Amino acid sequence: MTNKQKQCLLSYLGYYNGAIDGVFGSASKEATAAFQKDYGLESDGIFGPKTQKKIKEAVCNDEQPQVNWDSVKYFDREEFRCTCAGAHCSGFPVEMNPRVLSILDEVRGHFGAAGIVSSGVRCEKRNATIGGIAQSRHLLGKAADFRIKGKSAAEVLTYVKTLPGVRYTYAIDSAYVHVDVE
Ligand SMILES: [Zn+2]
Ligand SMILES: [Zn+2]
């Protein structure tokens, strides 16, 4: 597998948003490490045979990574429960995507202050009620809205934008930030 192919696969799965230039630099290595973490491989950033095999499987089988909550440092599954409070769903019409959780962990660790989640998973009805867009990534478990205690949304946003695998992020108000992944 060439470096360009590796970057293409990482990009396709939402881990890499740099140039497909065949130069396997720090951004490519970080993306590889993030993929490895999500798919239960040793997270060393080295794109070896095991990683090649796993990434081909993930693309070919359209395999969704499973969350290993033990590896999520600062957040619990309950914090991402749909906020319809059981009115329309069981709380988890889908599970959270591990990449979102890695990003939140990274941000929480960086700022060293509590992370407060206001929205993780949403069912269709809840999403509609709160005026979420129809194709919201919250419906797929691929988004989270959160704040970091004592930090402004602008500060948090600046940092989130530097992380690999972020598809889209914006400030919801002066404190809360939305982040989603591919
Ligand atoms: Zn719901
Ligand atoms: Zn959101």
Side-chain angles (χ1 to χ4, degrees), residues 144-146 152-158 160-161 168-179:
D145 300 340
F146 72 106
S152 70
E155 282 175 275
V156 174
L157 194 58
T158 302
V160 171
K161 283 180 176 170
Y168 192 48
T169 183
Y170 60 87
I172 297 165
D173 54 26
S174 62
Y176 282 90
V177 168
H178 164 102
V179 63

Side-chain angles (χ1 to χ4, degrees), residues 21-77:
D21 56 8
V23 181
F24 212 77
S26 59
S28 300
K29 285 179 189 146
E30 278 173 32
T32 303
F35 168 80
Q36 290 168 325
K37 183 168 184 260
D38 287 354
Y39 285 82
L41 299 172
E42 192 192 342
S43 184
D44 58 8
I46 298 166
F47 207 123
K50 276 187 192 167
T51 301
Q52 293 199 23
K53 184 168 178 280
K54 194 75 191 171
I55 203 164
K56 277 193 221 163
E57 284 171 8
V59 172
C60 295
N61 304 335
D62 202 16
E63 191 186 304
Q64 292 298 316
Q66 300 288 308
V67 177
N68 173 9
W69 285 99
D70 291 338
S71 75
V72 179
K73 209 166 166 187
Y74 298 111
F75 298 90
D76 295 323
R77 182 170 176 265

